[in-house]
Amino acid sequence: MARVIRVLLVDDDALVRAGLSMMLDGTGGITVVAEAADGQEAVTATDAHAPDVVLMDLRMPRVDGITATRRLRARARPPEVIVLTTFDTDENVLHALRAGAAGFLLKDTSPAQIVEAVTRVAAGDPILSPRITRRLMERTVAQAGAYERARAALATLTPREHEVALAIAQGRTNADIAADLTMGVTTVKAHVSSILTKLALDNRTQIALLAHDAGLT
């Protein structure tokens, strides 16, 4: 007989837990072994019931889903975690994945897709909803584009201007830069003015952001 996948439901909304439990328990090969209303209860329930997969909400009282995921994944024999949430910001997705989540689904995901996700993750196959995958790809492309544009822009500077730009990105004042690079403050100001003009920027903060996009800080 095929192994039954043991699932723990973690959500502070009892109605959400009830709906998920009814759906999953009606599926062959999956059983809901416990429920938890927050991240702390999730840790306790995992100790008591040893689930294979945890369906984890993000925003909960006491201990949130990201923290709970990190704690569970730090264990010697951790369960797989699928984040199931209504909050699909890039930051939430990245924090969840960095915490060790194997999947990220939105609560409007169809029941069939949730069942498929539980089955796949239990088999060691990470999964993201198509919408999340598309957004992460777009974010990666955008970041790559920003990196290349920033590198190209900084390449137009003289070596000395490049040093000044990097110092600005490190939060150095004009006086600090003058001392570090052995030049007068007036000369530093002239370099800063030249950098702003060449790069079509308005202020020092924009210089720092450009250096960050170029991977220099």
Side-chain angles (χ1 to χ4, degrees):
M1 293 180 61
R3 181 174 66 89
V4 175
I5 301 169
R6 299 165 58 82
V7 175
L8 166 64
L9 303 177
V10 186
D11 198 298
D12 61 344
D13 189 330
L15 288 177
V16 171
R17 297 199 308 272
L20 288 170
S21 181
M22 184 180 301
M23 177 189 70
L24 293 173
D25 270 337
T27 303
I30 298 175
T31 183
V32 175
V33 296
E35 298 179 14
D38 62 46
Q40 183 57 50
E41 289 184 12
V43 173
T44 302
T46 296
D47 288 337
H49 300 281
D52 301 304
V53 177
V54 178
L55 280 179
M56 182 80 73
D57 190 19
L58 281 184
R59 297 191 180 181
M60 298 178 290
R62 295 204 298 173
V63 177
D64 64 77
I66 299 297
T67 302
T69 297
R70 188 176 297 110
R71 291 177 181 176
L72 292 179
R73 293 298 299 168
R75 293 169 172 247
R77 299 183 64 183
E80 299 292 347
V81 177
I82 299 174
V83 169
L84 187 62
T85 181
T86 56
F87 303 101
D88 64 340
T89 65
D90 293 347
E91 289 72 23
N92 282 336
V93 176
L94 294 174
H95 287 322
L97 296 179
R98 286 170 180 157
F104 196 108
L105 299 175
L106 301 179
K107 285 185 177 177
D108 61 1
T109 301
S110 71
Q113 289 175 317
I114 293 176
V115 169
E116 180 188 6
V118 169
T119 303
R120 287 178 56 180
V121 165
D125 185 12
I127 188 168
L128 296 175
S129 71
R131 189 192 316 175
I132 297 298
T133 300
R134 184 168 56 253
R135 282 179 48 184
L136 287 179
M137 291 175 65
E138 290 171 350
R139 177 188 175 113
T140 299
V141 170
Q143 288 178 332
Y147 173 83
E148 295 298 338
R149 288 192 297 272
R151 284 278 182 173
L154 292 173
T156 66
L157 303 180
T158 67
R160 204 57 160 169
E161 288 169 346
H162 196 281
E163 290 179 323
V164 171
L166 179 57
I168 290 172
Q170 293 170 339
R172 310 290 284 173
T173 66
N174 285 344
D176 292 333
I177 298 171
D180 292 342
L181 301 181
T182 317
M183 64 176 71
V185 172
T186 301
T187 303
V188 173
K189 291 181 179 179
H191 282 310
V192 173
S193 179
S194 177
I195 292 169
L196 292 173
T197 299
K198 283 185 176 181
L199 303 183
L201 301 177
D202 296 322
N203 52 52
R204 295 167 69 95
T205 299
Q206 291 180 347
I207 295 175
L209 289 174
L210 192 68
H212 173 76
D213 287 343
L216 300 180
T217 60

